[in-house]
Amino acid sequence: EPTPMPTNIPTPAPSGAPTNPVTPAPTNQLTPAPTNASTPGPTPQPTTPGPTPCTGADITVDVLTDNWPQETAWTLTNTCTGAQINSPTSLARSTQYLNNYCLPAAQYTFEITDTYGDGICCSYGQGSVSVVYNGNQVLDAAGAFGSSSITTFGTCDSDSTPPPTPSPTPADITIATFNPTLGVPKCSSITAACTSGSALLDGTGGNQEPNPSNTLDECIDGANGKYHSDESVDQITVSAIGGGSLQAGALAVIEAKVWAWSDGSQDMADFYYSASVDNLDWKLIGSRPAGGPDERTLSIQYTLPSNSPLQAVRVSIRYQGSPNECPGGAWDDSDDLVFAVDPTPASLAAAAAGAQAPIPVPPPKAMDSSHCAAIGEIDRKRCEEGTLCVWKNGRNKGCYPKTSGDTAKGKGKAKGKANKVSTSDDHAA
């Protein structure tokens, strides 16, 4: 289409008056630059200061009692000053006692004792004991320590802290030799300690023991038993307590390494002494339960008599039964050790200054028949010849606790010379 004709209305001329409002003139102030400071964070909570580090002897004692806590006690002694920390006077059964001490730098001795002699484990509860000294564990035991366990660590020189030192051992110890005339191991010279050593009594006369029967009165070992599977007395040591030599009227300790059958709950070790070798008169000092399986170390204290310069001790391990200087059971083992003693008693003044008494030996707990059901066909003889169980045949054959209606089968009578046996109030522990 053709372009329309332009209109006749002219475009209005621009107005000469400014519009309202007037735009303000620019200011000369500059916009301030942003600051570099960051927004502060939240105020932190105050921290609790950590424990002050121990600069002396940092000692942690951890004891878990067994089912007979009344038999257990322990002490922590500063051997430089004599200061002592004792266990609580009343302990609860199967309870943990954890104590941390920061003490002056010194030498310390930790001793834990069990009056019954079976430690704090095994047949009567699973106890344990451990001691940590300046970050190092110096004692870690499952509780099978027998009558006592002693651990010494530290030093009286406060400028240095050496590694833990072992408990002292007799400085003058004699290893016995077999005496063919007596038929037992013998220490002929007066010394601080006499030991049979690890070879002379190892095993029983029924397996591999050298020179059986190793008894002064020909007490024959039981014919049954495999080496280090069944009962045996493997080593006997007699030591003077408190230093010096074995002397009449002084305190001594008998230590026996024995082997126990199964869990050891049915084995008992009986300790005897005779003041004379020429005129045997066995006196029962006391009995210690094996307290656990396999190799056990049991000990007992007594006062050395003054009757003779040549004395003897006997250790018998028996399966069930009752104390007898020659138990005569099929698995029982008895061994003797003869040693020299200074027959001259110490002076009265010295005796009064260092008077000591043997640690009392409590009567043994009665063995129970709870183990009978665990005896199988392979150990049937133990069921038949023991004093607590009876073997029954038939549809439900097996080993059962003996009742009053069962016929008791006594153990074999002791062989050898019939020697007087008695307990001693003046020497027995």
Side-chain angles (χ1 to χ4, degrees):
E1 291 183 353
T3 303
M5 294 298 289
T7 64
N8 293 325
I9 301 174
T11 302
S15 171
T19 59
N20 292 315
V22 180
T23 301
T27 64
N28 294 325
Q29 293 180 349
L30 300 175
T31 303
T35 62
N36 293 325
S38 59
T39 302
T43 304
Q45 294 294 324
T47 58
T48 303
T52 303
C54 180
T55 59
D58 186 0
I59 303 173
T60 299
V61 176
D62 188 359
V63 177
L64 176 63
T65 58
D66 64 1
N67 295 338
W68 293 81
Q70 65 271 27
E71 301 170 353
T72 305
W74 63 87
T75 58
L76 180 62
T77 305
N78 183 327
T79 59
C80 308
T81 65
Q84 189 173 82
I85 298 174
N86 298 312
S87 58
T89 55
S90 180
L91 301 176
R93 61 185 297 174
S94 302
T95 300
Q96 183 184 29
Y97 292 86
L98 179 62
N99 294 282
N100 179 255
Y101 307 99
C102 182
L103 304 173
Q107 184 182 71
Y108 291 88
T109 294
F110 176 80
E111 179 177 12
I112 183 168
T113 59
D114 184 85
T115 57
Y116 185 61
D118 62 348
I120 54 174
C121 86
C122 310
S123 301
Y124 302 101
Q126 296 296 326
S128 62
V129 55
S130 72
V131 177
V132 176
Y133 166 61
N134 287 346
N136 298 313
Q137 192 155 39
V138 295
L139 175 63
D140 183 17
F145 54 79
S147 303
S148 66
S149 174
I150 301 175
T151 304
T152 301
F153 47 90
T155 175
C156 289
D157 178 9
S158 59
D159 295 333
S160 61
T161 305
T165 56
S167 300
T169 56
D172 180 20
I173 186 168
T174 298
I175 299 178
T177 57
F178 179 73
N179 184 286
T181 302
L182 297 174
V184 301
K186 174 187 176 184
C187 291
S188 299
S189 59
I190 299 173
T191 182
C194 171
T195 180
S196 64
S198 59
L200 291 180
L201 302 179
D202 195 29
T204 73
N207 45 67
Q208 71 165 46
E209 179 181 291
N211 311 303
S213 63
N214 280 304
T215 56
L216 292 166
D217 51 7
E218 300 179 1
C219 175
I220 306 301
D221 296 337
N224 293 347
K226 296 179 181 179
Y227 176 69
H228 282 185
S229 174
D230 299 300
E231 294 86 346
S232 65
V233 176
D234 292 341
Q235 184 172 339
I236 302 175
T237 302
V238 181
S239 305
I241 294 179
S245 60
L246 293 165
Q247 188 172 20
L251 201 61
V253 58
I254 306 171
E255 184 178 270
K257 289 185 178 181
V258 303
W259 194 272
W261 173 72
S262 186
D263 63 357
S265 64
Q266 304 303 306
D267 290 335
M268 190 76 68
D270 302 318
F271 292 77
Y272 296 86
Y273 78 91
S274 176
S276 171
V277 172
D278 297 326
N279 184 24
L280 285 178
D281 182 13
W282 292 117
K283 294 183 183 294
L284 176 65
I285 304 170
S287 302
R288 296 288 196 196
D294 304 333
E295 183 182 274
R296 315 295 297 167
T297 299
L298 310 176
S299 63
I300 202 166
Q301 296 182 2
Y302 79 115
T303 302
L304 292 166
S306 57
N307 304 52
S308 169
L310 201 61
Q311 302 182 17
V313 294
R314 167 172 292 179
V315 179
S316 296
I317 186 168
R318 55 182 166 85
Y319 171 67
Q320 299 181 2
S322 57
N324 190 309
E325 84 282 9
C326 186
W331 290 272
D332 301 343
D333 183 24
S334 299
D335 289 314
D336 299 347
L337 177 66
V338 171
F339 53 95
V341 174
D342 183 351
T344 306
S347 67
L348 294 178
Q356 289 180 299
I359 296 176
V361 181
K365 298 185 183 83
M367 294 181 180
D368 60 48
S369 57
S370 60
H371 76 292
C372 296
I375 298 179
E377 183 76 36
I378 191 172
D379 292 311
R380 176 173 175 172
K381 286 186 177 180
R382 284 189 181 269
C383 184
E384 294 174 336
E385 298 185 23
T387 57
L388 300 175
C389 309
V390 61
W391 186 269
K392 296 183 178 181
N393 292 310
R395 185 175 183 180
N396 296 316
K397 73 175 181 178
C399 189
Y400 295 87
K402 185 174 291 185
T403 64
S404 58
D406 296 315
T407 302
K409 294 185 177 181
K411 301 178 77 174
K413 295 183 178 180
K415 299 180 180 180
K417 300 178 182 178
N419 295 294
K420 175 186 174 184
V421 180
S422 59
T423 57
S424 170
D425 294 331
D426 53 344
H427 294 292

